Amino acid sequence: MVIARHGKPDLFITMTCNPRWPEIIDNLGPHQKWENRPDLVCRVFHAKLLELMDDLTQKQIFGVVKNYHYVIEFQKRGLPHAHIVLTMQTDDKVLDVETVDAIVQAYIPDKNTQRILYGLVRDFHVHAPCGQLNMFAKCMMNGQCKKFYPKPYRTHTSLHMGGNKRPEYKRPDDSRTIYVDANRCRVTNRRIVPYNAYLLSKYQCHINIEVVGSLYTMKYLHKYIQKGSDSITLRIGDGNNDGNTRAHSQPTTELQKTPIETLVIDEIKNYQDYRYVSAMEAMWRILEFRMHDRSHSVLVLPVHLPGDRTIMFDELEEANNIEARLQSRSKLEAYFELNSHDVVARTYLYHEIPQHYTWNYKECKWQSRRQVSKQIGCMIDVSPLPGQMELFFFRLLLSRIKGATTYDDLKKIDDDGTTTDTFEEACRRKNYIRRTDEFERAMREAVLKQHPRKMRKLFALYCCITIDEGFTEYNAIWHQFCEYMIDDFVNLKRLSYQRAEEKAFKEINEILKRNRSNLSMAALGIRSIHDNNRSDAAFNRVPDIDNNINCDRHYDYGVDL
């Protein structure tokens, strides 16, 4: 939601704790190591993190920050690190090569004129030798480095705005090298991890800074920083039979003189999934430090039909309290009431109200804000499934019409007050669901925030909805967004593009048949990209999402499933 309102992020920063910070080393007892003092490590890192956030948001070393979001994670060996996402104001957004070069460096500094920075880059920003130099490095996967090191030399920075690539930073072939003692080898600019000279010199730890090059990359970042906690799988056994039991059955023929031994395997007993909590993470939580923080909060706005509210209550709660809750107004009903007496409120859409009004939980009403808003409204998702189609169309009207004071106001189709019987009819009469670009806009919004599996489901359900409206551009929509809908098959399951597309075809066909038995991808005229004699390289053509979406405007045409 923040991205839909404020645009794509500009910077992604990762700060990792340095166990050799003087604040840690100077306070260790005799014969102690940093792993013996998780309380000390957590306190020092927390203080450094707050100082870094102050530099970024208050001192504005890179410009005015429009919003930020960070999460804390812990390495397997225990050290904490923070992932920070920054979105800059319009005047300070990172859009050109000169700005990128001023913020990010990916080359070895001069050893004679920048001796301190040279040593810090050597200690914290050299990617360990991999590939032909070390095929057993941790970053290796299928014979290649997951981080794509060593990078090629570049005389200047190149931005791939709108493409499915990260910016390629300046890495000149200037013959500068750094000798890494741990690996006993020299490295060039091809193995330098991007850094910022000021932050690296001040905090003296690993601070990787990356420029977010495209909206496609942004979706990956937000999934990455919110991937959840670590877990481990334990195998449980008694040491004798490895947790399995052996059952004996009687022989069925005279030839079988001894009982048949059958091995009974109980996978649930043998393997259990547990959450992994290191000593550092445990201490971090004991000290009650934040695991994440953000500049803006999101207020979920209910969407319901008249007399169809959802009320949550405890079965042991008193009946009077439940009755009082039933009599109170929902946020939606209070929105209608607000529009009836507040002229200014009528200029905002329902999901824009939290930016200008606060919700009074005690009195169940909207009140004008007195301070700058850092809250964003988000209507609950409604799927176009059988049984809730009317609610789906009601939400569509609510996202487009301002100033409604009653449910019937959303059904008005003429200035003279003519209303329809249903919300679906109102959408059709207003031409909200007959536009040929509606399908494409819904898919473009899903590209920004949805998992490929949900995009496939959205594609299938939109086919079911639009088939009765004479829509015929299914094949063009499929080819435009196919790469995003098969991304999980290609990158997670390591399938070829052709095999991934086949699996996507099969899954979407199943969804189509569940909703409308006579529909299929073939019946809609959708052809595989490979059927058109196009190679896997055709998937490298990425739709120019950045240039076709105005992120400062909240598009609510699609639906999240």
Side-chain angles (χ1 to χ4, degrees), residues 72-89:
I72 306 298
E73 295 182 356
F74 296 86
Q75 300 171 347
K76 291 296 184 293
R77 61 174 180 163
L79 289 175
H81 61 277
H83 295 301
I84 307 168
V85 177
L86 299 178
T87 303
M88 315 303 291
Q89 290 281 9

Side-chain angles (χ1 to χ4, degrees), residues 159-185:
L159 299 181
H160 296 272
M161 310 302 288
N164 183 19
K165 293 183 180 180
R166 299 178 180 178
E168 296 180 358
Y169 305 111
K170 177 182 177 181
R171 297 175 184 273
D173 187 6
D174 52 13
S175 302
R176 293 179 183 176
T177 61
I178 286 182
Y179 182 76
V180 182
D181 294 334
N183 302 102
R184 297 181 180 179
C185 66

Side-chain angles (χ1 to χ4, degrees), residues 148 195 293 485:
F148 305 105
Y195 64 92
D293 193 17
M485 287 189 276

Side-chain angles (χ1 to χ4, degrees), residues 375-389:
Q375 190 172 66
I376 292 176
C378 173
M379 289 190 292
I380 62 172
D381 301 329
V382 179
S383 301
L385 299 174
Q388 58 180 27
M389 290 298 296

Side-chain angles (χ1 to χ4, degrees), residues 357-410:
Y357 296 83
T358 59
W359 175 248
N360 187 321
Y361 285 90
K362 185 176 181 180
E363 300 181 13
C364 295
K365 67 178 184 180
W366 294 103
Q367 297 177 337
S368 297
R369 282 191 176 274
R370 299 179 181 178
Q371 298 178 347
V372 178
S373 171
K374 290 215 170 183
Q375 190 172 66
I376 292 176
C378 173
M379 289 190 292
I380 62 172
D381 301 329
V382 179
S383 301
L385 299 174
Q388 58 180 27
M389 290 298 296
E390 190 69 359
L391 182 62
F392 168 77
F393 291 114
F394 169 67
R395 184 185 186 275
L396 183 59
L397 290 168
L398 200 60
S399 66
R400 296 209 179 182
I401 299 177
K402 301 177 181 179
T405 58
T406 63
Y407 284 93
D408 290 337
D409 284 350
L410 298 174

Side-chain angles (χ1 to χ4, degrees), residues 24 69 75 114 138 162 167 170 183 195 246 312 349 512 538:
I24 296 177
H69 180 200
Q75 300 171 347
Q114 298 175 299
K138 295 181 179 179
K170 177 182 177 181
N183 302 102
Y195 64 92
R246 296 182 182 274
M312 305 293 293
L349 293 169
L512 291 173

Side-chain angles (χ1 to χ4, degrees), residues 251-271:
T252 57
T253 65
E254 293 183 358
L255 297 177
Q256 295 174 321
K257 300 299 183 181
T258 59
I260 300 174
E261 191 177 65
T262 304
L263 182 63
V264 180
I265 300 177
D266 191 333
E267 293 184 356
I268 297 178
K269 289 183 178 180
N270 289 352
Y271 296 94

